[in-house]
Every structure is written in C-alpha cells, then in structure tokens.
C-alpha cells in the first residue's frame, strides 16, 4: 500500500521555498497553517484543512480562506503550541501513519527555526519522528530514533550532516566520506559538511534522537 503524503505549509518566508513548491508541483494532501492558507490559495492549491489563530492573515484574506476551504480549525492567539506543532498534530489526527513534509519552517526568526528543529523532541511526537521531514530550498531534514539506517542521496544535494539533538550513544558513520566509530556525547553536536561516498550510505546509533540533513550551497 502506497504511503500517503501530507504536506504542511507554515508561515516562514517564501524566499526559503524549494522550486517545486513555488511551481506548485508537489503532490499529496495539504494542511495550511495560518498565513499558509492564503498563500496556497493564491497558487491555485486548495488545502484540505486550514488551522491556526490566523493572526497574520488580513480580514480580506480570511474571507477568501473561509469561502474556499471547507475545514478550518481555529486556535486562540494565546496557545501552548507553535504553528508547526499544530500542523503536525492535525496531520497525525486526520492522516495517521502518513509521511509528513513541512515547508515554510526555516528562515526568518531564529526562535521559530529552533522550535521547528526541536519539534521531534516533544514526547507527543515520539511515535511519528521518522515520518517528519523539514524541506526548504537548500535542505532536507529527516529525524531518526536509535537503529541502523541507509540514506539515499538526493540528486541535487552535495553535503550531509549528522546532528544529535539529544545525548547520543554509539553513533557510527561507516561509509560516508568522513567516517565515525561509536561516538558518544552528552550534548548536541553537528557533524557538518560530510559527504556521500556513493549513492547510498549508512549510519547507526544506540541512543538519542538524530537529525540528518542533506544540503546544497
């Protein structure tokens, strides 16, 4: 059975969007968060669900959102969750077991970027960590729990980074350009600017949560 793809658009700057999003070429179901709703509609894409407090959406834009999108879930401006968390919570609720690609989550305010990078550490998302991806015009970020993995090189990406978001035990990079054996750390470390040695590389670790980033200049 083919895995369902759910795309989430949050309110980061459009300058960070990948080209296929700008061209409207991304397949799958869309969830729009706040400003993402009017942005998708302006591109001719109607999201399945729009969520948020819509505090960054003008009244005239909100009128269009209400007219075009059938399912809107409103949240109060003072809330305990970030926009991206709300988007992921909505995806889990309505489309369980789906692959979740998040756009508009980088660039702009640094506090928003850090909140998005740390999102997989939230206990409520522990069962969906490996379903979540953050994508922009230069990076694809995937998240991992302990285990052994293979990584397939994206055709337009050169660099590969391994970032332990928590303490980590036994991090091993056996066949990347720069290898690593049984690395342990009690604090986050970014093993940046590594590269693939072939189209498919591997890594493993025994404890912690890892972000793996494929990047281009």
């Amino acid at each position: 059975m083919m895995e369902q793809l759910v795309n989430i658009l949050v309110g980061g700057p459009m300058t960070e969007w990948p080209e296929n999003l700008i061209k409207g070429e991304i397949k799958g179901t869309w969830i729009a968060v706040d400003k993402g709703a009017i942005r998708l509609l302006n591109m001719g894409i109607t999201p399945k669900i729009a969520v948020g407090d819509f505090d960054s959406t003008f009244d005239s834009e909100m009128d269009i959102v209400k007219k075009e999108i059938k399912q809107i879930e409103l949240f109060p401006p003072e809330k305990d969750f970030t926009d991206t968390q709300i988007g992921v919570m909505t995806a889990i609720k309505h489309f369980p077991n789906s692959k979740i690609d998040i756009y508009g989550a980088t660039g702009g305010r640094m506090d928003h970027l850090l909140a998005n990078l740390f999102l997989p550490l939230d206990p409520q998302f522990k069962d969906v960590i490996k379903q979540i991806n953050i994508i922009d015009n230069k990076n694809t970020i995937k998240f991992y729990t302990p285990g052994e993995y293979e990584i397939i090189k994206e055709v337009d990406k050169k660099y590969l980074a391994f970032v332990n978001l928590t303490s980590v035990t036994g991090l091993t990079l056996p066949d990347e350009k720069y290898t690593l054996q049984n690395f342990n750390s009690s604090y986050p470390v970014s093993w940046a600017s590594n590269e693939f040695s072939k189209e498919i590389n591997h890594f493993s670790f025994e404890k912690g949560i890892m972000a793996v980033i494929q990047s281009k200049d």
Side-chain angles (χ1 to χ4, degrees), residues 107-125:
R109 283 173 48 179
M110 186 62 70
D111 58 336
H112 287 170
L113 172 61
L114 290 173
N116 292 332
L117 288 175
F118 295 158
L119 181 145
L121 305 181
D122 188 326
Q124 70 174 315
F125 301 132

Side-chain angles (χ1 to χ4, degrees), residues 140-173:
T140 299
I141 307 172
K142 297 179 180 293
F143 302 95
Y144 295 86
T145 55
E148 298 181 1
Y149 299 97
E150 67 175 26
I151 318 165
I152 301 174
K153 184 181 184 301
E154 297 181 18
V155 65
D156 63 335
K157 304 296 196 300
K158 178 180 180 180
Y159 298 105
L160 183 61
F162 296 86
V163 183
N164 55 290
L165 300 175
T166 65
S167 59
V168 69
T169 300
L171 176 60
T172 297
L173 315 178

Side-chain angles (χ1 to χ4, degrees), residues 44-82:
I45 299 171
T46 302
K48 185 76 171 179
I49 307 171
V51 297
D53 57 23
F54 297 94
D55 60 348
S56 61
T57 302
F58 296 121
D59 290 343
S60 58
E61 295 174 332
M62 196 63 198
D63 289 339
I64 297 173
V65 169
K66 290 178 178 179
K67 179 181 178 182
E68 298 295 332
I69 301 175
K70 294 181 179 180
Q71 187 170 350
I72 300 173
E73 298 181 6
L74 297 174
F75 288 77
E78 296 182 0
K79 52 189 182 298
D80 296 327
F81 304 107
T82 67

Side-chain angles (χ1 to χ4, degrees), residues 185-206:
S185 179
S186 60
Y187 56 89
V189 175
S190 177
W191 293 92
S193 298
N194 209 328
E195 298 180 30
F196 284 84
S197 62
K198 47 191 175 182
E199 292 304 307
I200 298 179
N201 278 170
H202 303 80
F203 80 103
S204 63
F205 63 108
E206 299 169 358

Side-chain angles (χ1 to χ4, degrees), residues 88-105:
V88 174
M89 290 162 58
T90 303
I92 295 169
K93 175 183 175 181
H94 294 281
F95 309 100
N97 304 315
S98 296
K99 180 174 179 282
I100 302 170
D101 288 352
I102 304 172
Y103 299 88

